[in-house]
Amino acid sequence: MAEEAAVRAQAEVVRRLKHDKADPDEIAKEVAKLLEMKAQLGGDEGKHKFVLKTPKGTRDYSPKQMAIRERVFNAIISCFKRHGAEVIDTPVFELKETLTGKYGEDSKLIYDLKDQGGELLSLRYDLTVPFARYLAMNKITNIKRYHIAKVYRRDNPAMTRGRYREFYQCDFDIAGQFDPMIPDAECLKIVHEILSDLQLGDFLIKVNDRRILDGMFAVCGVPDSKFRTICSSVDKLDKVPWEEVRGEMVGEKGLSPEAADHIGEYVQLHGGLELIERLLQDPKLSQNKLAKEGLGDMKLLFEYLTLFGITGKISFDLSLARGLDYYTGVIFEAVLLQQENEHVEEPVSVGSVAGGGRYDGLVGMFDPKGRKVPCVGVSIGIERIFSILEQRVEASEEKIRTTETQVLVASAQKKLLEERLKLIAELWDAGIKAEVLYKKNPKLLNQLQYCEDTGIPLVAIVGEQELKDGVVKLRVVATREEVNVRRESLVEEIRMRTS
């Protein structure tokens, strides 16, 4: 680096001499000195060594990984469409003020960009806040939409557990004024359908309500100003034991030990309709307006979930808090369960794969007149799902096809490149997914081997005899069965055999 600095200094001397119209001989002498120094440093070849890595918290996806990914996306999108959702998209960055103050303690994870000509911008942190901004900006009061896109968090990534700085979210939301708990129940049904369809193993969907939590905090003696910060402590209960959470509440957040113990009695409860009924009779909670409203809606929700036939996988869990500031009602989170061993009764959670809830106030934050648009939505944690499926494929050594090619156009003799190209053009024009090897005279064995390697099911072989007879020899790679098909029937035959 010191040598390069010397070269730069020398170049500056030359520039000044030229500017000051110095003696040409002196300039020539300095230029010679500069060239000598450059020569000693060596040419440009190999000087700049690239660091070949992806940025922290990001990754590349190989064709095999993308094939698994597309499978997952297709399952999710078909579910969203089955439920009547439209699709939207929004910019990858928003005005910084759009995102500020919407995520509670997680706001520190927002990626800020440099000032771009007077606009302070940040990369989107999720798809919900941009959706609320979109609704307010376009004065939309009623929509059912899905949105699948990348979001960004300046997190300390744990890549092995599917936590990244750049990752996809798959969101489904229902915006509009409807009768209570019908859209909320549908969101839970969607989570149930997707997790069942992807066959990830046993799962549990935990449900709670922000109003029940707030009512519980109030009756336990938590001051209003500490609601949100205590909420984020409670949210850690799925990862750390109660004693640790209690220590944080009392030690770090200044809550009285009595209030903390009182919270402890509630947040360790989970169950179904019978627990809701019991809490509706609870002498303290039943006196709190917010908690009573929340419990009433929770009872209604469980009635609808019973009609959908999915209550077996749903647990009303008072420890579920979800850290985001914008939730106002029902909140839920789906976790995958893993039986640690035969001797343990209680299944162990291996992490959240979906989450969501009701956020009735978010759109109003953006609307100039504060008009509210009630919303409820769910976000599918695609990265964690993907890392589970990826590990499973690795373990099973399942062969994953990375293309959808239906047929390879091949020839058995030399000098048939033109005929191969003519035939493949016919197939492409008919919408058939076809490939040809990029060689003038490839060996038939190499062409067949290519099909074996890539999983192409059919080979259309053109030869001199076939051309005379107006047929194409169609070979099934798996069984090696061969049939002659009339050229005009080839497209139909390929479609029939690969549908």
Side-chain angles (χ1 to χ4, degrees):
M1 283 306 152
E3 295 91 335
E4 285 179 14
V7 168
R8 282 198 296 273
Q10 188 67 35
E12 181 59 21
V13 168
V14 172
R15 194 187 65 76
R16 282 209 186 118
L17 286 169
K18 282 181 175 173
H19 181 265
D20 296 339
K21 299 195 169 48
D23 174 42
D25 288 348
E26 199 180 338
I27 293 174
K29 212 189 299 174
E30 294 299 336
V31 167
K33 214 186 280 181
L34 178 62
L35 291 171
E36 193 181 315
M37 286 169 85
K38 274 195 164 175
Q40 281 169 359
L41 268 176
D44 283 345
E45 316 81 52
K47 194 167 67 182
H48 183 75
K49 289 267 194 302
F50 279 103
V51 180
L52 292 175
K53 68 185 276 294
T54 58
K56 184 177 174 184
T58 65
R59 63 181 290 194
D60 292 324
Y61 292 93
S62 67
K64 187 176 165 185
Q65 290 165 329
M66 283 307 293
I68 303 168
R69 222 174 161 73
E70 282 197 323
R71 236 190 245 179
V72 177
F73 278 140
N74 291 340
I76 292 170
I77 291 169
S78 67
C79 176
F80 290 165
K81 287 183 172 176
R82 188 162 59 242
H83 286 263
E86 304 172 282
V87 62
I88 70 161
D89 196 13
T90 64
V92 75
F93 42 79
E94 294 275 352
L95 294 179
K96 184 178 176 175
E97 64 187 65
T98 301
L99 306 184
T100 306
K102 312 297 187 301
Y103 301 108
E105 293 192 2
D106 285 346
S107 286
K108 60 182 181 291
L109 302 180
I110 292 173
Y111 260 114
D112 292 331
L113 302 175
K114 272 196 174 150
D115 180 355
Q116 300 294 325
E119 282 192 335
L120 288 177
L121 307 172
S122 299
L123 293 177
R124 63 183 167 209
Y125 178 88
D126 68 0
L127 301 178
T128 311
V129 170
F131 174 54
R133 190 263 310 146
Y134 171 84
L135 295 182
M137 190 172 132
N138 296 290
K139 298 185 172 53
I140 295 167
T141 55
N142 197 316
I143 189 174
K144 191 191 301 187
R145 80 88 172 87
Y146 76 88
H147 187 183
I148 295 178
K150 284 183 173 179
V151 299
Y152 298 85
R153 296 188 183 177
R154 214 161 39 83
D155 209 346
N156 269 332
M159 310 266 290
T160 48
R161 294 208 313 276
R163 275 183 82 107
Y164 300 93
R165 288 182 159 190
E166 176 194 63
F167 57 94
Y168 270 98
Q169 277 191 344
C170 304
D171 280 22
F172 171 97
D173 292 81
I174 301 170
Q177 190 72 56
F178 304 109
D179 286 340
M181 295 298 115
I182 306 172
D184 309 60
E186 184 170 9
C187 284
L188 290 165
K189 177 76 172 88
I190 283 168
V191 177
H192 191 282
E193 282 178 26
I194 289 170
L195 296 185
S196 303
D197 188 16
L198 293 173
Q199 298 174 352
L200 297 165
D202 203 10
F203 63 89
L204 183 68
I205 306 171
K206 300 176 184 180
V207 189
N208 198 0
D209 193 299
R210 238 1 200 303
R211 293 164 299 174
I212 299 173
L213 270 173
D214 287 352
M216 175 187 77
F217 291 151
V219 304
C220 291
V222 179
D224 284 9
S225 60
K226 288 199 191 314
F227 273 22
R228 287 290 166 260
T229 182
I230 295 301
C231 204
S232 67
S233 295
V234 170
D235 201 35
K236 295 174 182 167
L237 273 171
D238 60 336
K239 298 178 190 75
V240 298
W242 164 247
E243 289 68 34
E244 217 169 296
V245 171
R246 184 189 181 279
E248 182 183 294
M249 287 175 175
V250 177
E252 289 175 36
K253 297 185 172 176
L255 192 65
S256 73
E258 301 75 43
D261 291 335
H262 209 148
I263 290 169
E265 289 166 24
Y266 285 115
V267 293
Q268 294 177 73
L269 299 173
H270 50 88
L273 260 175
E274 71 299 330
L275 176 60
I276 300 166
E277 298 283 10
R278 202 171 90 216
L279 291 173
L280 277 165
Q281 305 305 316
D282 182 278
K284 288 206 176 88
L285 275 185
S286 59
Q287 296 310 304
N288 180 282
K289 184 175 172 288
L290 272 179
K292 201 172 175 187
E293 267 176 31
L295 286 163
D297 275 353
M298 190 60 67
K299 186 179 176 186
L300 196 54
L301 177 70
F302 265 79
E303 284 166 13
Y304 296 151
L305 298 176
T306 307
L307 296 172
F308 286 155
I310 62 171
T311 46
K313 297 281 189 198
I314 312 270
S315 165
F316 171 40
D317 189 323
L318 280 151
S319 71
L320 179 68
R322 289 192 66 74
L324 296 174
D325 264 11
Y326 51 62
Y327 289 122
T328 55
V330 166
I331 47 178
F332 47 86
E333 188 161 278
V335 293
L336 293 185
L337 302 175
Q338 179 181 296
Q339 218 73 41
E340 287 241 280
N341 54 48
E342 283 83 79
H343 316 299
V344 181
E345 284 295 299
E346 197 72 354
V348 186
S349 160
V350 290
S352 164
V353 286
R358 177 160 285 283
Y359 51 101
D360 290 347
L362 193 56
V363 180
M365 284 183 171
F366 295 112
D367 192 280
K369 293 183 179 158
R371 281 173 297 221
K372 289 192 171 181
V373 178
C375 297
V376 63
V378 58
S379 186
I380 307 295
I382 189 82
E383 304 301 341
R384 194 161 277 166
I385 289 172
F386 174 61
S387 54
I388 290 161
L389 291 177
E390 200 181 355
Q391 283 163 12
R392 193 176 292 172
V393 167
E394 287 299 317
S396 69
E397 292 175 3
E398 177 193 343
K399 209 169 181 328
I400 298 278
R401 275 202 74 188
T402 54
T403 72
E404 293 181 9
T405 308
Q406 295 162 290
V407 62
L408 179 81
V409 174
S411 57
Q413 294 123 347
K414 292 185 173 180
K415 298 189 179 161
L416 286 172
L417 175 65
E418 288 82 357
E419 293 302 335
R420 281 190 292 142
L421 295 181
K422 253 192 262 176
L423 178 58
I424 200 165
E426 282 173 34
L427 295 179
W428 284 335
D429 292 345
I432 297 290
K433 295 164 183 166
E435 284 186 63
V436 64
L437 290 197
Y438 305 128
K439 283 189 85 127
K440 271 189 172 174
N441 299 311
K443 292 188 173 71
L444 183 61
L445 204 62
N446 292 353
Q447 295 171 93
L448 296 176
Q449 188 58 49
Y450 180 73
C451 293
E452 292 277 355
D453 294 344
T454 57
I456 298 173
L458 299 172
V459 189
I461 303 170
V462 284
E464 282 155 14
Q465 191 58 48
E466 283 83 2
L467 288 167
K468 278 193 199 119
D469 298 346
V471 297
V472 173
K473 193 184 287 308
L474 195 62
R475 178 184 172 109
V476 180
V477 176
T479 62
R480 301 183 181 180
E481 163 211 351
E482 292 184 343
V483 286
N484 283 339
V485 180
R486 299 226 39 90
R487 183 107 172 207
E488 58 273 19
S489 313
L490 182 63
V491 167
E492 209 39 60
E493 186 72 23
I494 292 168
R495 280 194 190 128
M496 190 188 76
R497 286 175 178 268
T498 55
S499 64

